[in-house]
Each structure stands twice: as C-alpha cells, then as structure tokens.
Amino acid sequence: MSDNLPPCPQCSSEYTYEMNALMVCPECGHEWVPGGADEAGASAGERVIKDAVGNVLSDGDTVTVVKALKVKGSVSGIKAGTKVRNIRLVDGVDGHDIDCRVEGFGAMQLKSSVVKKA
C-alpha cells in the first residue's frame, strides 16, 4: 500500500485504498474520486452529473440501467441491466439529465440516478 493515500473525507480513517478510479474507505464504505474531481468541475462553473453510485458521467459514456423503468405507451418497460451506449448530458426537465437512444424503445431522456457507469 502507498503511504500517500488521503484519509476518508467522511470518517477520517487512514485505511483507505484504491479501487480502479475510486478511493474506498473500508470502515464506513464511502467511495470518492481522488484529486477532487468534484471541486475541479465546480470551480470551472461546470455542472457535474453523477450516476447512482457516485461515478462522474461524461458525454459518450456507456451506462447500465440499475432498476426497471416504466415507459409510457409501452407494454413492457426498460429492464434492469439494459446497456445504453453513447449518452449525451443535457439540462433536461424534471431531473432528466441524460439524452440517449435505448435499443427497442428509441430516443428518450433518463435520470442519472437510475443508471450506473459501465
């Protein structure tokens, strides 16, 4: 383990570790992006959009739907686990901040709280 890992911002634990692009605290379970990606986006005046587990989303990402969604005018909805490729982040209505094309349903907008970065 590296000695220069930052402590957990929630519980100040010194036992943090890296997991892919995230830092993880084993004591409280908090996950965050190291280097203050949230602060960098906020300081530039840019809105940061995160998925259901806290990963920062960007245009062109592939996401997975984490819960079943009802679609108005459709007999079946979007099932959990459906992959959506090439998303576009927008300022939508009622919290719908992802513009995408879902295979079998067509173009629609989704909320970032119901997707996870793939």
Side-chain angles (χ1 to χ4, degrees):
M1 283 181 65
S2 176
D3 292 335
N4 59 359
L5 294 176
C8 176
Q10 281 194 339
C11 71
S12 300
S13 171
E14 60 186 28
Y15 301 110
T16 57
Y17 62 92
E18 292 181 89
M19 184 175 68
N20 297 329
L22 295 176
M23 296 296 297
V24 180
C25 175
E27 293 185 4
C28 69
H30 179 64
E31 297 178 350
W32 71 97
V33 178
D38 300 333
E39 298 152 10
S43 65
E46 188 176 312
R47 190 173 81 145
V48 176
I49 298 176
K50 296 183 178 184
D51 66 2
V53 294
N55 297 323
V56 178
L57 297 173
S58 59
D59 287 343
D61 282 345
T62 298
V63 295
T64 304
V65 178
V66 295
K67 69 179 213 175
L69 303 172
K70 294 180 182 178
V71 178
K72 198 175 204 178
S74 173
V75 177
S76 64
I78 300 172
K79 295 180 182 180
T82 302
K83 280 198 173 187
V84 180
R85 292 178 175 83
N86 199 19
I87 65 169
R88 191 168 53 104
L89 304 177
V90 296
D91 290 327
V93 180
D94 294 331
H96 293 82
D97 45 15
I98 297 175
D99 195 20
C100 61
R101 180 170 175 76
V102 180
E103 195 167 319
F105 292 94
M108 63 177 52
Q109 289 188 343
L110 298 173
K111 292 184 178 182
S112 59
S113 61
V114 298
V115 298
K116 178 178 77 170
K117 193 171 186 176

